[in-house]
Amino acid sequence: MTTSDLTSSAAIRTRTMTALFLAMAMALVVGTALGFEHIGGYIPCALCLEQRIPYYIGVPLMLVAALISRAGGPSWVVRGLLAVGGLLMLYGLYLGVYHSGVEWHWWEGPASCATSADAVTKDAGSLLGDLSSKKPPSCDSAALRVLGLSFAGWNVLASAALAAIALRGASIKG
């Protein structure tokens, strides 16, 4: 093998591992949000739900990038998919910053910020009580803060890190 073959092989391996890491990390982030919702009982607001969309798109996209890379597909396709993953995470970063600003009352949120999440019990005996007591959360109040950051704030950090990793992976030539 020549030096350029080794360099190309290392680049392919790095892009493949980057795409796999991103798929797993994106799944972990959105899985954590789903866990807080379905296990922890934190009902997401409309902006919370919107912040999940880049992850829902990004996970399968990064799996496709990993498969194409592993199969020896064109590097420009893999690099392009990694770049799209980076752009998705930059969009997620934007959504997280916007939502955090709404929570800190730095700017107004959307006029109608309601959730489409299921907030009503499945128990028929408690149904009427739940209909009158449970209300969708407002986008301008954080359901929980951990180390001073809300879910939206943590999404800012996760999106920024994942965007940097994806864009770095997209820049690897060879």
Side-chain angles (χ1 to χ4, degrees), residues 16-29:
T16 302
M17 295 308 292
T18 300
L20 284 174
F21 172 79
L22 287 166
M24 291 184 340
M26 289 176 184
L28 178 66
V29 171

Side-chain angles (χ1 to χ4, degrees), residues 69-80:
S69 182
R70 180 76 175 125
S75 67
W76 66 269
V77 172
V78 178
R79 292 175 64 209

Side-chain angles (χ1 to χ4, degrees), residues 11 15 62 65 68-69 73-86 166-174:
R15 283 192 297 268
M62 293 302 98
I68 292 171
S69 182
S75 67
W76 66 269
V77 172
V78 178
R79 292 175 64 209
L81 290 172
L82 287 168
V84 170
L167 295 173
R168 172 69 175 108
S171 72
I172 296 173
K173 296 182 179 170

Side-chain angles (χ1 to χ4, degrees), residues 139-150:
C139 294
D140 66 355
S141 61
L144 173 71
R145 290 194 188 274
V146 177
L147 300 175
L149 293 177
S150 66

